[in-house]
Amino acid sequence: MREIESSCRIDRGTVYKGLRARGVELRTRARGFRVHDCDDQAFESDSEARDYWIGMMMADGSVYMNRNSYAVELGLNEADAEHLYKFKSFLKAANPVRRGGTKHLFRRARIVVYSKGLFDSLARFGVTPRKSLTAKVKGLENSRHFWRGVVDGDGCIYVTKQYGLPTVSLVGSRHLLEQFLSFVRQFAPSCRVSVRPKGRVYSVQIGGRYGLAVIQTLYSDCVVSLSRKQVTADKILSAFEGRAWRVTGAGL
């Protein structure tokens, strides 16, 4: 519109009315400020990858808006920068993965995508601005792929040094961790682990046969995961082969 205004020497209001009168579809203000393209509907199609990346966004992502744009950002330790390229591919985004940090901080890598469509889709599943202390998933409570994304972002999987027990630990909001335990009890109903305070957030730690059941449920037969945690999970499952619980139940 600015170019038409300049070349035709008419005011922008006249340009706007002329375009609308001729049925020209005008970009929204947010779309007009976008530099890189992406798939605005990436989170709308039901898939393992969709559930997983929503889990990652719930754990390590952030969404925010200002007057002109809606931003979806995912940041990880620079050592996991390769994982951001998987996210970029899922979104079909042209946005660059940027790296940075200082000598006083862990070096980070991040990707920021501007899209109201993505922003609105994530909000429908509970990924909203300033969610750290209040996060609560909507609609994906029983998706093992979603929970794998959450554990990849804010969790740890390991074998304890003292007793050699396979263990899963996770930090987050109280609501989210209670939802995680409800998911776990679908295939391990006798698990009596509880959510505990940890500073401003909460934590949960599941070990022994229950920890092994969680690792098997989340990391067996999956197509997307954080590479280093998948390697750890595979080693644990191999070391405890024959003792892992078989997952049952629809939707897991």
Side-chain angles (χ1 to χ4, degrees), residues 104-170:
H104 302 294
L105 299 172
F106 289 111
R107 288 188 62 83
R108 302 281 290 175
R110 69 187 185 113
I111 182 171
V112 184
V113 178
Y114 295 92
S115 167
K116 188 176 187 303
L118 297 178
F119 183 96
D120 291 343
S121 295
L122 287 169
R124 184 162 55 85
F125 292 103
V127 181
T128 56
R130 298 178 294 278
K131 61 177 169 49
S132 300
L133 305 180
T134 60
K136 184 177 182 180
V137 63
K138 302 175 183 177
L140 297 177
E141 297 90 336
N142 298 324
S143 170
R144 74 184 184 100
H145 308 303
F146 168 80
W147 290 115
R148 184 171 63 259
V150 174
V151 171
D152 274 357
D154 275 343
C156 295
I157 56 175
Y158 55 95
V159 175
T160 59
K161 292 182 179 180
Q162 186 172 3
Y163 298 109
L165 298 176
T167 303
V168 176
S169 62
L170 182 63

Side-chain angles (χ1 to χ4, degrees), residues 31 33-38 92-96 98 112-114:
R31 182 67 183 84
F33 277 85
R34 184 195 293 180
V35 176
H36 304 287
D37 284 327
C38 69
K92 299 178 182 177
N95 307 67
R98 302 188 185 280
V112 184
V113 178
Y114 295 92

Side-chain angles (χ1 to χ4, degrees), residues 2-252:
R2 187 181 297 110
E3 293 173 0
I4 295 173
E5 177 185 27
S6 175
S7 62
C8 297
R9 297 183 181 180
I10 54 179
D11 66 89
R12 193 169 306 180
T14 301
V15 176
Y16 177 82
K17 291 177 182 178
L19 292 174
R20 290 297 298 270
R22 288 162 176 78
V24 176
E25 182 179 354
L26 302 181
R27 295 181 297 177
T28 63
R29 190 173 181 84
R31 182 67 183 84
F33 277 85
R34 184 195 293 180
V35 176
H36 304 287
D37 284 327
C38 69
D39 179 5
D40 295 304
Q41 304 300 311
F43 293 115
E44 292 301 315
S45 298
D46 186 14
S47 68
E48 172 181 336
R50 188 277 306 264
D51 291 4
Y52 174 84
W53 289 116
I54 292 174
M56 279 293 297
M57 285 297 302
M58 182 69 80
D60 268 349
S62 60
V63 294
Y64 49 91
M65 53 188 170
N66 57 33
R67 186 168 61 92
N68 296 322
S69 59
Y70 295 79
V72 172
E73 177 176 340
L74 183 59
L76 301 172
N77 190 298
E78 190 178 38
D80 295 322
E82 178 188 352
H83 203 54
L84 295 180
Y85 287 97
K86 298 178 186 178
F87 185 52
K88 174 178 176 174
S89 177
F90 169 74
L91 297 180
K92 299 178 182 177
N95 307 67
V97 173
R98 302 188 185 280
R99 305 167 189 243
T102 70
K103 63 181 180 180
H104 302 294
L105 299 172
F106 289 111
R107 288 188 62 83
R108 302 281 290 175
R110 69 187 185 113
I111 182 171
V112 184
V113 178
Y114 295 92
S115 167
K116 188 176 187 303
L118 297 178
F119 183 96
D120 291 343
S121 295
L122 287 169
R124 184 162 55 85
F125 292 103
V127 181
T128 56
R130 298 178 294 278
K131 61 177 169 49
S132 300
L133 305 180
T134 60
K136 184 177 182 180
V137 63
K138 302 175 183 177
L140 297 177
E141 297 90 336
N142 298 324
S143 170
R144 74 184 184 100
H145 308 303
F146 168 80
W147 290 115
R148 184 171 63 259
V150 174
V151 171
D152 274 357
D154 275 343
C156 295
I157 56 175
Y158 55 95
V159 175
T160 59
K161 292 182 179 180
Q162 186 172 3
Y163 298 109
L165 298 176
T167 303
V168 176
S169 62
L170 182 63
V171 297
S173 73
R174 185 182 186 90
H175 287 305
L176 190 66
L177 296 191
E178 287 175 345
Q179 289 179 305
F180 178 62
L181 289 181
S182 294
F183 166 75
V184 170
R185 291 185 183 118
Q186 293 183 49
F187 56 87
S190 56
C191 180
R192 294 292 179 261
V193 173
S194 60
V195 176
R196 298 180 179 275
K198 185 176 182 178
R200 297 182 63 200
V201 293
Y202 292 82
S203 69
V204 64
Q205 184 171 305
I206 305 174
R209 59 175 180 159
Y210 302 121
L212 187 59
V214 173
I215 294 170
Q216 184 193 34
T217 301
L218 298 186
Y219 289 93
S220 294
D221 302 319
C222 59
V223 299
V224 57
S225 60
L226 186 63
S227 296
R228 61 181 174 84
K229 286 188 179 174
Q230 184 66 55
V231 169
T232 301
D234 289 343
K235 288 180 179 178
I236 292 174
L237 293 177
S238 177
F240 288 85
E241 187 176 4
R243 285 180 278 177
W245 291 6
R246 295 302 171 192
V247 179
T248 60
L252 297 181

